[in-house]
Amino acid sequence: MHLLLLGATGLVGSHVLELALADPRITAVTAPTRRALAEHPRLTAPKIDFDNLPQDAEIWKADAVICALGTTLKVAGSRERFHRIDHDYTVEIARLAKAGGGRTFVLNSAKGADVKSLFFYSRVKGETEKDVVALGFERTVLVRPGLIDGPRTEPRPAEQMFGTLLRRLKPVLPRSLQANRPETIARVMLEQAFSAVPGVTVVTSDALV
Ligand SMILES: NC(=O)c1ccc[n+]([C@@H]2O[C@H](COP(=O)([O-])OP(=O)(O)OC[C@H]3O[C@@H](n4cnc5c(N)ncnc54)[C@H](OP(=O)(O)O)[C@@H]3O)[C@@H](O)[C@H]2O)c1
């Protein structure tokens, strides 16, 4: 399988990349990024400008796509920029991948994703899911983690505090309220990329514990 991976430098995406490169079922990985990745014989990692996505079909040709691209409102700096990155980049890449013959799209979305949500973040995630599904891949998998709890290089104090709290409460919390580890999300997304079940599949946070 030829895998197209977006967000390969991120917390979840870097685990997907590691697992994919170690998986004998995967013959090639294309991971467009804005930062360099370590070289690997089965990895092609073109540095691209995400505001001007190359229309060159070769980059987007793959059997399956895993997308773990996204930012935070704080890093984005405005709602418009957040929407541009989390929604527009994702949907435009999905369109290019579909045109390139991609059959499966696995999207790292978020718990609570809903076009009608009261929360801007969840609305954008819901809109992204809806617009990716509308592209009509043979298989679309919407993976909806809760808080992603793992070591980050940049400080995210609120997430880190919440992560510590959820870890302490883990023995008494139902699975649906527990935090999700990036390596678990990555493993589930990669397995979903191989599944042959047609249509739309939703993976909720309790399946990512
Ligand atoms: N944090 C949470 O608790 C949480 C919970 C549920 C869902 N999610 C969602 O899960 C997904 C993966 O999360 P994560 O924690 O693995 O994310 P992350 O560590 O912040 O990584 C995000 C990835 O997106 C890329 N990216 C961000 N802004 C970009 C831009 N302007 N242009 C190009 N690439 C850009 C990053 O590239 P660079 O390395 O170049 O920045 C990185 O590869 C995201 O969509 C996130 O919204 C997060």
Side-chain angles (χ1 to χ4, degrees), residues 17-24 26-30 37-45:
L17 181 62
E18 195 184 324
L19 290 172
L21 292 176
D23 193 322
I26 295 184
T27 48
V29 179
T30 303
L37 287 168
E39 286 184 15
H40 185 284
R42 280 186 291 134
L43 173 66
T44 307

PDB file of all heavy atoms in Angstrom, residues 17-24 26-30 37-45:
ATOM      1  N   LEU A  17       3.821   7.842  11.266  1.00  0.00           N
ATOM      2  CA  LEU A  17       4.968   7.699  10.356  1.00  0.00           C
ATOM      3  C   LEU A  17       5.877   6.549  10.799  1.00  0.00           C
ATOM      4  O   LEU A  17       6.279   5.703   9.994  1.00  0.00           O
ATOM      5  CB  LEU A  17       5.758   9.014  10.297  1.00  0.00           C
ATOM      6  CG  LEU A  17       6.959   9.010   9.357  1.00  0.00           C
ATOM      7  CD1 LEU A  17       6.511   8.782   7.902  1.00  0.00           C
ATOM      8  CD2 LEU A  17       7.738  10.331   9.443  1.00  0.00           C
ATOM      9  N   GLU A  18       6.179   6.521  12.089  1.00  0.00           N
ATOM     10  CA  GLU A  18       7.058   5.478  12.618  1.00  0.00           C
ATOM     11  C   GLU A  18       6.452   4.081  12.376  1.00  0.00           C
ATOM     12  O   GLU A  18       7.145   3.168  11.910  1.00  0.00           O
ATOM     13  CB  GLU A  18       7.246   5.725  14.117  1.00  0.00           C
ATOM     14  CG  GLU A  18       8.399   4.961  14.731  1.00  0.00           C
ATOM     15  CD  GLU A  18       8.449   5.200  16.240  1.00  0.00           C
ATOM     16  OE1 GLU A  18       8.139   6.326  16.680  1.00  0.00           O
ATOM     17  OE2 GLU A  18       8.775   4.245  16.955  1.00  0.00           O
ATOM     18  N   LEU A  19       5.175   3.945  12.683  1.00  0.00           N
ATOM     19  CA  LEU A  19       4.507   2.646  12.503  1.00  0.00           C
ATOM     20  C   LEU A  19       4.455   2.267  11.018  1.00  0.00           C
ATOM     21  O   LEU A  19       4.666   1.109  10.656  1.00  0.00           O
ATOM     22  CB  LEU A  19       3.071   2.705  13.051  1.00  0.00           C
ATOM     23  CG  LEU A  19       2.919   2.809  14.573  1.00  0.00           C
ATOM     24  CD1 LEU A  19       1.450   3.053  14.941  1.00  0.00           C
ATOM     25  CD2 LEU A  19       3.419   1.533  15.254  1.00  0.00           C
ATOM     26  N   ALA A  20       4.161   3.256  10.176  1.00  0.00           N
ATOM     27  CA  ALA A  20       4.013   2.973   8.742  1.00  0.00           C
ATOM     28  C   ALA A  20       5.335   2.528   8.125  1.00  0.00           C
ATOM     29  O   ALA A  20       5.378   1.606   7.312  1.00  0.00           O
ATOM     30  CB  ALA A  20       3.474   4.214   8.021  1.00  0.00           C
ATOM     31  N   LEU A  21       6.427   3.166   8.537  1.00  0.00           N
ATOM     32  CA  LEU A  21       7.728   2.822   7.955  1.00  0.00           C
ATOM     33  C   LEU A  21       8.213   1.452   8.446  1.00  0.00           C
ATOM     34  O   LEU A  21       9.080   0.842   7.832  1.00  0.00           O
ATOM     35  CB  LEU A  21       8.765   3.917   8.262  1.00  0.00           C
ATOM     36  CG  LEU A  21       8.502   5.258   7.559  1.00  0.00           C
ATOM     37  CD1 LEU A  21       9.509   6.311   8.000  1.00  0.00           C
ATOM     38  CD2 LEU A  21       8.539   5.100   6.036  1.00  0.00           C
ATOM     39  N   ALA A  22       7.651   0.996   9.560  1.00  0.00           N
ATOM     40  CA  ALA A  22       8.042  -0.319  10.089  1.00  0.00           C
ATOM     41  C   ALA A  22       7.088  -1.421   9.618  1.00  0.00           C
ATOM     42  O   ALA A  22       7.268  -2.585   9.952  1.00  0.00           O
ATOM     43  CB  ALA A  22       8.045  -0.272  11.617  1.00  0.00           C
ATOM     44  N   ASP A  23       6.063  -1.042   8.846  1.00  0.00           N
ATOM     45  CA  ASP A  23       5.021  -1.992   8.465  1.00  0.00           C
ATOM     46  C   ASP A  23       5.303  -2.553   7.067  1.00  0.00           C
ATOM     47  O   ASP A  23       5.273  -1.806   6.085  1.00  0.00           O
ATOM     48  CB  ASP A  23       3.660  -1.260   8.487  1.00  0.00           C
ATOM     49  CG  ASP A  23       2.491  -2.219   8.410  1.00  0.00           C
ATOM     50  OD1 ASP A  23       2.583  -3.216   7.671  1.00  0.00           O
ATOM     51  OD2 ASP A  23       1.490  -1.957   9.093  1.00  0.00           O
ATOM     52  N   PRO A  24       5.540  -3.868   6.976  1.00  0.00           N
ATOM     53  CA  PRO A  24       5.879  -4.448   5.670  1.00  0.00           C
ATOM     54  C   PRO A  24       4.752  -4.361   4.648  1.00  0.00           C
ATOM     55  O   PRO A  24       4.988  -4.505   3.445  1.00  0.00           O
ATOM     56  CB  PRO A  24       6.202  -5.915   5.999  1.00  0.00           C
ATOM     57  CG  PRO A  24       5.630  -6.186   7.349  1.00  0.00           C
ATOM     58  CD  PRO A  24       5.515  -4.873   8.060  1.00  0.00           C
ATOM     59  N   ILE A  26       3.246  -1.719   3.921  1.00  0.00           N
ATOM     60  CA  ILE A  26       3.303  -0.390   3.294  1.00  0.00           C
ATOM     61  C   ILE A  26       4.573  -0.277   2.445  1.00  0.00           C
ATOM     62  O   ILE A  26       5.691  -0.383   2.952  1.00  0.00           O
ATOM     63  CB  ILE A  26       3.227   0.712   4.370  1.00  0.00           C
ATOM     64  CG1 ILE A  26       1.849   0.613   5.028  1.00  0.00           C
ATOM     65  CG2 ILE A  26       3.472   2.089   3.783  1.00  0.00           C
ATOM     66  CD1 ILE A  26       1.545   1.667   6.041  1.00  0.00           C
ATOM     67  N   THR A  27       4.366  -0.080   1.160  1.00  0.00           N
ATOM     68  CA  THR A  27       5.502  -0.055   0.233  1.00  0.00           C
ATOM     69  C   THR A  27       6.117   1.339   0.137  1.00  0.00           C
ATOM     70  O   THR A  27       7.309   1.480  -0.119  1.00  0.00           O
ATOM     71  CB  THR A  27       5.049  -0.503  -1.174  1.00  0.00           C
ATOM     72  OG1 THR A  27       3.844   0.231  -1.492  1.00  0.00           O
ATOM     73  CG2 THR A  27       4.749  -1.991  -1.195  1.00  0.00           C
ATOM     74  N   ALA A  28       5.300   2.364   0.327  1.00  0.00           N
ATOM     75  CA  ALA A  28       5.808   3.735   0.208  1.00  0.00           C
ATOM     76  C   ALA A  28       4.956   4.685   1.033  1.00  0.00           C
ATOM     77  O   ALA A  28       3.742   4.487   1.168  1.00  0.00           O
ATOM     78  CB  ALA A  28       5.771   4.175  -1.252  1.00  0.00           C
ATOM     79  N   VAL A  29       5.624   5.706   1.589  1.00  0.00           N
ATOM     80  CA  VAL A  29       4.909   6.758   2.321  1.00  0.00           C
ATOM     81  C   VAL A  29       5.274   8.097   1.680  1.00  0.00           C
ATOM     82  O   VAL A  29       6.461   8.381   1.475  1.00  0.00           O
ATOM     83  CB  VAL A  29       5.308   6.793   3.816  1.00  0.00           C
ATOM     84  CG1 VAL A  29       4.554   7.914   4.548  1.00  0.00           C
ATOM     85  CG2 VAL A  29       5.057   5.451   4.499  1.00  0.00           C
ATOM     86  N   THR A  30       4.265   8.894   1.359  1.00  0.00           N
ATOM     87  CA  THR A  30       4.510  10.280   0.951  1.00  0.00           C
ATOM     88  C   THR A  30       3.992  11.160   2.073  1.00  0.00           C
ATOM     89  O   THR A  30       2.832  11.023   2.489  1.00  0.00           O
ATOM     90  CB  THR A  30       3.788  10.632  -0.368  1.00  0.00           C
ATOM     91  OG1 THR A  30       4.209   9.716  -1.370  1.00  0.00           O
ATOM     92  CG2 THR A  30       4.122  12.048  -0.816  1.00  0.00           C
ATOM     93  N   LEU A  37      11.907  15.997   7.403  1.00  0.00           N
ATOM     94  CA  LEU A  37      11.794  14.751   8.165  1.00  0.00           C
ATOM     95  C   LEU A  37      13.068  13.942   7.951  1.00  0.00           C
ATOM     96  O   LEU A  37      13.743  14.094   6.929  1.00  0.00           O
ATOM     97  CB  LEU A  37      10.600  13.934   7.646  1.00  0.00           C
ATOM     98  CG  LEU A  37       9.202  14.434   7.984  1.00  0.00           C
ATOM     99  CD1 LEU A  37       8.157  13.682   7.152  1.00  0.00           C
ATOM    100  CD2 LEU A  37       8.922  14.265   9.464  1.00  0.00           C
ATOM    101  N   ALA A  38      13.371  13.048   8.891  1.00  0.00           N
ATOM    102  CA  ALA A  38      14.542  12.178   8.723  1.00  0.00           C
ATOM    103  C   ALA A  38      14.343  11.314   7.482  1.00  0.00           C
ATOM    104  O   ALA A  38      13.218  10.869   7.202  1.00  0.00           O
ATOM    105  CB  ALA A  38      14.700  11.300   9.960  1.00  0.00           C
ATOM    106  N   GLU A  39      15.442  11.093   6.759  1.00  0.00           N
ATOM    107  CA  GLU A  39      15.323  10.326   5.512  1.00  0.00           C
ATOM    108  C   GLU A  39      15.067   8.849   5.797  1.00  0.00           C
ATOM    109  O   GLU A  39      15.488   8.318   6.825  1.00  0.00           O
ATOM    110  CB  GLU A  39      16.610  10.475   4.693  1.00  0.00           C
ATOM    111  CG  GLU A  39      16.702  11.845   4.067  1.00  0.00           C
ATOM    112  CD  GLU A  39      17.910  11.994   3.162  1.00  0.00           C
ATOM    113  OE1 GLU A  39      18.504  10.970   2.796  1.00  0.00           O
ATOM    114  OE2 GLU A  39      18.245  13.147   2.856  1.00  0.00           O
ATOM    115  N   HIS A  40      14.366   8.211   4.857  1.00  0.00           N
ATOM    116  CA  HIS A  40      14.100   6.771   4.954  1.00  0.00           C
ATOM    117  C   HIS A  40      13.894   6.286   3.511  1.00  0.00           C
ATOM    118  O   HIS A  40      13.269   6.993   2.712  1.00  0.00           O
ATOM    119  CB  HIS A  40      12.847   6.516   5.817  1.00  0.00           C
ATOM    120  CG  HIS A  40      12.581   5.075   6.071  1.00  0.00           C
ATOM    121  ND1 HIS A  40      12.037   4.219   5.133  1.00  0.00           N
ATOM    122  CD2 HIS A  40      12.795   4.311   7.177  1.00  0.00           C
ATOM    123  CE1 HIS A  40      11.928   3.002   5.650  1.00  0.00           C
ATOM    124  NE2 HIS A  40      12.380   3.035   6.887  1.00  0.00           N
ATOM    125  N   PRO A  41      14.390   5.081   3.195  1.00  0.00           N
ATOM    126  CA  PRO A  41      14.283   4.620   1.801  1.00  0.00           C
ATOM    127  C   PRO A  41      12.851   4.543   1.269  1.00  0.00           C
ATOM    128  O   PRO A  41      12.644   4.648   0.057  1.00  0.00           O
ATOM    129  CB  PRO A  41      14.926   3.225   1.826  1.00  0.00           C
ATOM    130  CG  PRO A  41      15.261   2.914   3.244  1.00  0.00           C
ATOM    131  CD  PRO A  41      15.171   4.173   4.039  1.00  0.00           C
ATOM    132  N   ARG A  42      11.870   4.361   2.143  1.00  0.00           N
ATOM    133  CA  ARG A  42      10.495   4.244   1.636  1.00  0.00           C
ATOM    134  C   ARG A  42       9.680   5.522   1.833  1.00  0.00           C
ATOM    135  O   ARG A  42       8.468   5.533   1.650  1.00  0.00           O
ATOM    136  CB  ARG A  42       9.793   3.055   2.315  1.00  0.00           C
ATOM    137  CG  ARG A  42      10.179   1.728   1.669  1.00  0.00           C
ATOM    138  CD  ARG A  42       9.390   0.571   2.225  1.00  0.00           C
ATOM    139  NE  ARG A  42       9.770   0.293   3.601  1.00  0.00           N
ATOM    140  CZ  ARG A  42       8.909   0.078   4.586  1.00  0.00           C
ATOM    141  NH1 ARG A  42       7.622   0.143   4.357  1.00  0.00           N
ATOM    142  NH2 ARG A  42       9.337  -0.193   5.792  1.00  0.00           N
ATOM    143  N   LEU A  43      10.388   6.602   2.233  1.00  0.00           N
ATOM    144  CA  LEU A  43       9.683   7.863   2.509  1.00  0.00           C
ATOM    145  C   LEU A  43      10.037   8.955   1.495  1.00  0.00           C
ATOM    146  O   LEU A  43      11.204   9.187   1.214  1.00  0.00           O
ATOM    147  CB  LEU A  43      10.059   8.359   3.916  1.00  0.00           C
ATOM    148  CG  LEU A  43       9.539   9.744   4.319  1.00  0.00           C
ATOM    149  CD1 LEU A  43       8.013   9.756   4.435  1.00  0.00           C
ATOM    150  CD2 LEU A  43      10.178  10.186   5.645  1.00  0.00           C
ATOM    151  N   THR A  44       9.003   9.598   0.961  1.00  0.00           N
ATOM    152  CA  THR A  44       9.186  10.810   0.164  1.00  0.00           C
ATOM    153  C   THR A  44       8.518  11.922   0.955  1.00  0.00           C
ATOM    154  O   THR A  44       7.332  11.808   1.289  1.00  0.00           O
ATOM    155  CB  THR A  44       8.494  10.681  -1.216  1.00  0.00           C
ATOM    156  OG1 THR A  44       8.958   9.488  -1.823  1.00  0.00           O
ATOM    157  CG2 THR A  44       8.793  11.867  -2.106  1.00  0.00           C
ATOM    158  N   ALA A  45       9.275  12.968   1.277  1.00  0.00           N
ATOM    159  CA  ALA A  45       8.723  14.033   2.124  1.00  0.00           C
ATOM    160  C   ALA A  45       8.959  15.398   1.484  1.00  0.00           C
ATOM    161  O   ALA A  45       9.856  16.145   1.898  1.00  0.00           O
ATOM    162  CB  ALA A  45       9.348  13.960   3.517  1.00  0.00           C
TER     163      ALA A  45
END
